[in-house]
Amino acid sequence: MKAARVGFLDLCPVALVLLTTFVGPPARAELCSADAVPAATLLLPYFEVDVANSNGKTTVFSVNNVVPQATLAHVTLWTDFAWPTLNFDVYLTGYDVQTFNLRDLLHGVLPQTAIASQDPGDGISPRGSLSEDTDFPGCPIVNVAPPVLGDALIRAHQGLESPAYGGCVALPREDGLARGYVTVDVVSRCSILPPSDEAYYSGVLARDNRLWGSYFYVDPAGNSAQQENLVHIEACEPTAIGTPPPDSCGSGFGPGDYTFYGRYTAAAADQREPLPSTFALSYLEGGAFDGGTRLAVWRDTKVRQRVTGACPARWLALGERRVDSFDEEENADSHCQSGSADPAVPCFGLATQLYEVGNTPNGGFLFPQSPFGWLFLNLSHDLATNDPFPGRAQAWVTTVLSASGRYSVATDAVALDDLCSPDAGQGSVSSP
């Protein structure tokens, strides 16, 4: 581990579970399946931070290197309009782990790591007895946030005017919270390029499935915290790590295939599996979980977004194909775009959001008739023009349940399809 940390252990004692590294051989899994195995990209699907209150809500995540070889990871922060705001590199020695507090990152405090030749005394990035240390091209000694940002990064994630980003690049909020999502990629060299830049896929992005991680939503005032795995996105590896079974991805993804970063790169150059589009999950709106159910929902915009920067920001909301609820007696009801009088107002219209079931300040329509049941979500959506994947769109859903001041839990929804299949995105419920 690094000599300097971000203060996670002061926030929550349960964070100790994040500091355990895995020293066995990497697990292998079927490409295109939604599973937590060593991956080439990690996704934190939603974060929120009370930036003005040092004891307020925050989001913390860990990134772990599963192999003895040193690995370079590229971290990118995105707004809820899928706009990249900050990216930086983190050097991990073999079996290393790095924790991040989004509060620190939004205030420009980046983790300090160093490659082997820049850290001969192992004072910045120590190497353990089972670990390797090496060099990567183009890496600075330490990370320094661009001084031009100031509070511009925070304002960008609050949807407020931020001249450093050309205006407004997120949904405007008045609650003081900064929101967005995070991607972490295995890369072959240090770079200041974000994944939204086509040049990122020529000599920067790598395809080694070496990373795993977890994240926490921490709310000290509400006396609650929830943990889940980061979303693990595998790449079709050009070579094997260790001695795994033969690679099942064959010749890899090609032109016309849906990939995770396909909205930014032609001909599937990222070689990363897409996420599912259709999910099932339980909800509770009473009983022991009187804090209700919230859904952390990440959506794929499918094309590079054209954020103008005008304030207030303008955004073409993403629709949904189908949202249905079932109570405990199998009574069904339709919601959101498919069940509202105004089909132009979806439930999950942003690239990332935290949506309260039955209590929707963002103007949605998800009000199940029963306080207990389950939801069917088909989050595929179509673009009006130039849709690269009609009838399909990847997403991710995590359920967050709480009983205020007593206990809370987070769990990923069950994926019902995969976007490597030709009929993906068509899932629906039907009458017998």
Side-chain angles (χ1 to χ4, degrees), residues 46 86 127 132 156 158 208 254 271 276 284 313 335 349 361 374 398 412:
Y46 174 82
L86 175 69
R127 178 177 66 87
E132 294 183 10
Q158 292 176 321
D208 303 294
Q271 289 294 302
L284 301 170
H335 306 275
W374 71 278
T398 299
D412 288 332

Side-chain angles (χ1 to χ4, degrees), residues 45-369:
Y46 174 82
F47 71 77
E48 62 181 24
V49 178
D50 184 348
V51 292
N53 182 0
S54 61
N55 196 40
K57 294 180 179 179
T58 191
T59 304
V60 180
F61 67 100
S62 70
V63 174
N64 302 257
N65 181 13
V66 78
V67 296
Q69 295 82 19
T71 298
L72 191 65
H74 191 77
V75 180
T76 304
L77 273 59
W78 308 75
T79 70
D80 57 15
F81 280 5
W83 195 257
T85 57
L86 175 69
N87 63 95
F88 58 92
D89 297 299
V90 174
Y91 173 72
L92 301 169
T93 58
Y95 301 128
D96 201 354
V97 57
Q98 178 73 54
T99 59
F100 306 81
N101 188 333
L102 262 300
R103 186 190 315 283
D104 292 336
L105 299 184
L106 289 169
H107 282 95
V109 180
L110 306 187
Q112 306 300 294
T113 61
I115 58 177
S117 62
Q118 296 170 344
D119 185 27
D122 272 356
I124 302 174
S125 292
R127 178 177 66 87
S129 60
L130 301 177
S131 305
E132 294 183 10
D133 206 358
T134 191
D135 286 334
F136 288 91
C139 292
I141 296 179
V142 294
N143 283 313
V144 179
V148 69
L149 290 183
D151 67 349
L153 180 61
I154 291 174
R155 293 179 63 83
H157 284 270
Q158 292 176 321
L160 304 177
E161 186 167 7
S162 184
Y165 295 97
C168 295
V169 292
L171 186 71
R173 311 279 187 170
E174 297 181 357
D175 58 7
L177 297 181
R179 297 171 170 85
Y181 66 94
V182 179
T183 56
V184 184
D185 301 316
V186 176
V187 291
S188 59
R189 59 174 294 116
C190 285
S191 169
I192 61 172
L193 294 174
S196 58
D197 193 315
E198 177 70 29
Y200 183 70
Y201 303 93
S202 301
V204 178
L205 189 66
R207 292 161 52 186
D208 303 294
N209 294 311
R210 296 184 171 191
L211 300 179
W212 67 277
S214 306
Y215 67 95
F216 274 88
Y217 296 136
V218 182
D219 182 5
N223 195 29
S224 68
Q226 302 90 19
Q227 180 196 17
E228 244 304 352
N229 291 320
L230 294 171
V231 186
H232 292 64
I233 301 164
E234 294 175 90
C236 181
E237 291 187 86
T239 57
I241 298 176
T243 56
D247 198 340
S248 62
C249 66
S251 59
F253 296 101
D257 289 338
Y258 201 152
T259 60
F260 178 72
Y261 280 131
R263 59 200 176 279
Y264 301 123
T265 178
D270 61 310
Q271 289 294 302
R272 276 148 171 81
E273 63 183 350
L275 296 177
S277 70
T278 307
F279 303 86
L281 58 98
S282 297
Y283 72 88
L284 301 170
E285 289 297 317
F289 284 92
D290 56 5
T293 300
R294 294 173 294 163
L295 306 180
V297 181
W298 178 88
R299 309 286 307 279
D300 182 14
T301 60
K302 298 175 73 172
V303 296
R304 188 189 307 269
Q305 287 298 302
R306 308 297 185 193
V307 179
T308 64
C311 295
R314 297 182 180 274
W315 173 261
L316 183 61
L318 308 177
E320 303 96 12
R321 183 173 296 276
R322 190 85 188 186
V323 176
D324 296 281
S325 65
F326 292 83
D327 65 15
E328 294 180 319
E329 296 180 350
E330 295 75 66
N331 297 307
D333 196 11
S334 295
H335 306 275
C336 305
Q337 183 171 355
S338 60
S340 70
D342 181 2
V345 182
C347 278
F348 314 107
L350 299 170
T352 187
Q353 55 256 289
L354 188 66
Y355 189 101
E356 297 185 37
V357 176
N359 179 17
T360 53
N362 59 351
F365 293 89
L366 184 46
F367 294 89
Q369 296 180 4

